[in-house]
Amino acid sequence: MRAGTVALLVAGRGTARIAQWAAGVVLLAAWGPVAFAAYAAATGVMSWLFALSGGTERAALVLVGAPGGRRLEPLFVWFALGPFAAALLGWSALALLVPGHAAVTYAAAAALYTGTGTATVLVGLWRLRGAAHADAAAFATIGAGYGVAVALALLAGAGVGVILGVLTATAGLVTAVLLAALWRTVPARPAVPRAEALAVLRAVGLLAAGEAVALAGVPVLYAEQAGRVPAPQISAFYVAMLVSGAAGVLWGYLLRLWQPRLSAWLDAHPGPAAALVRRVALGAALAGAGVTAAGTAALVAWGPSGPLLVAAVAAEIAVYTAVTWAGFVVESGDDRARARSTLSGVVALAVTGVAGWWLVAAGGATGAVLALVAGLAVRGPLLRAGERSARAGR
């Protein structure tokens, strides 16, 4: 993929992400903390649903992008649409049965994230066809939707329900356009044997579980900080995660763009690829363990400080980059390798939670970041590359 194309794609995704973050700041100022809390809570709680699309997109990139995998396209279209359709039905039902209830707001946020996730999967299919512009256009439109929503809040006094409705409608519009163009050349009925469809679903489930586990560490650390550290430390952790999250989102997206070339490399050089994964994972584990030990010693000796937090965030980004690359390669193998990757994420989450309970008390935001590094360090040695296969069920 050309550098100009990659820059266009990153700009499209970046527009949507920046618009989302900026909208939160503007809506907080426009609504005040009480009204904004309803929006923040609903979107925060339901954000995990995006992991469903993350797993579906990853599986599509691995399986549809494999030789002979193009026939699986209709199956992935339906896997992408399923959560969105269910969320829309649930939201509609709750709006009719209990209008004005908080559950309606949460259902609207669920529809928003599943709708955005559906668009994510569909643009992944378009990228595999060589139509990268669809990705950039789709997410630039989603970013524009946030702009429209903010304008309605500022100029018309729109509330949380209207804003979530506008954002969901934007995701639905993007999905409809992508589908209309895609189904001109893709049959609506998947011509895939049931056993193979179940194998594909298993691969999607494993990858989605891995995505969900990877997202869970930060909410756990927020919960461990609540009531145990001063409010400024929680705010500092929020800023730290904003920086780390931006780097992580960019890196994850670049890895997805690299997936076709990665698959070809794994098919051609399975042995060297597995050896490289082991070296990178071991190096990340050693670096992560060293950072955790040194940072903990610094916290005990001098207490939390701004420079120490900056250093911890920089180290966390570096270790995360290496471990995520190794995990991405492993997940491009067979189901056994994907299961190992998911299990490594579960172990990392447990270590993050246990380490965080002590480190948060010792160092607030810095301790929380070091707990993330500790989890990543443990995950590295558990990653093992598996066989590449065009079939999900091997």
Side-chain angles (χ1 to χ4, degrees):
M1 191 174 288
R2 296 178 180 177
T5 303
V6 172
L8 176 65
L9 292 169
V10 171
R13 292 290 179 115
T15 297
R17 182 67 64 169
I18 292 171
Q20 181 184 14
W21 289 335
V25 175
V26 176
L27 290 175
L28 173 59
W31 289 338
V34 175
F36 182 76
Y39 173 86
T43 54
V45 168
M46 292 300 173
S47 62
W48 71 271
L49 289 171
F50 199 71
L52 297 177
S53 65
T56 306
E57 182 198 16
R58 282 284 289 117
L61 294 176
V62 172
L63 300 176
V64 177
R70 182 75 175 270
R71 61 193 175 79
L72 298 175
E73 269 189 334
L75 196 62
F76 278 99
V77 170
W78 285 110
F79 284 164
L81 283 175
F84 190 25
L88 288 174
L89 287 173
W91 180 22
S92 301
L94 287 172
L96 290 173
L97 295 173
V98 286
H101 194 278
V104 178
T105 303
Y106 281 83
L112 167 61
Y113 278 106
T114 53
T116 307
T118 298
T120 301
V121 176
L122 295 180
V123 297
L125 295 175
W126 276 110
R127 288 202 311 272
L128 289 173
R129 288 170 162 235
H133 63 278
D135 189 322
F139 278 89
T141 302
I142 289 173
Y146 277 94
V148 172
V150 167
L152 288 173
L154 293 175
L155 302 177
V160 175
V162 173
I163 296 305
L164 289 173
V166 169
L167 296 176
T168 303
T170 303
L173 174 63
V174 169
T175 294
V177 172
L178 290 169
L179 270 180
L182 190 67
W183 267 344
R184 291 176 183 173
T185 55
V186 173
R189 184 181 178 85
V192 179
R194 182 178 178 182
E196 189 171 4
L198 290 175
V200 172
L201 184 59
R202 183 169 62 248
V204 170
L206 287 170
L207 290 167
E211 293 272 343
V213 168
L215 293 173
V218 173
V220 166
L221 291 168
Y222 271 118
E224 290 181 341
Q225 291 178 83
R228 300 179 66 219
V229 302
Q233 284 294 313
I234 298 177
S235 298
F237 183 66
Y238 175 85
V239 174
M241 289 302 96
L242 196 64
V243 174
S244 173
V249 167
L250 176 60
W251 178 236
Y253 184 52
L254 291 175
L255 287 176
R256 281 163 165 76
L257 297 182
W258 183 50
Q259 181 67 65
R261 186 171 295 181
L262 169 65
S263 296
W265 174 61
L266 290 174
D267 288 334
H269 309 286
L276 182 57
V277 167
R278 287 194 294 271
R279 290 196 297 271
V280 171
L282 179 59
L286 293 174
V291 167
T292 303
T296 301
L299 280 177
V300 172
W302 301 303
S305 65
L308 186 56
L309 176 59
V310 171
V313 171
E316 189 270 340
I317 291 173
V319 176
Y320 175 87
T321 298
V323 171
T324 303
W325 178 86
F328 197 87
V329 175
V330 167
E331 290 164 1
S332 297
D334 56 13
D335 275 353
R336 184 177 298 177
R338 286 188 275 271
R340 279 198 298 264
S341 179
T342 300
L343 179 60
S344 73
V346 172
V347 174
L349 176 60
V351 170
T352 296
V354 172
W357 186 256
W358 185 82
L359 287 170
V360 161
T366 305
V369 175
L370 290 174
L372 289 173
V373 177
L376 291 168
V378 171
R379 187 186 178 202
L382 299 176
L383 293 170
R384 293 288 186 276
E387 297 179 6
R388 262 287 290 172
S389 172
R391 294 176 61 91
R394 178 182 291 183

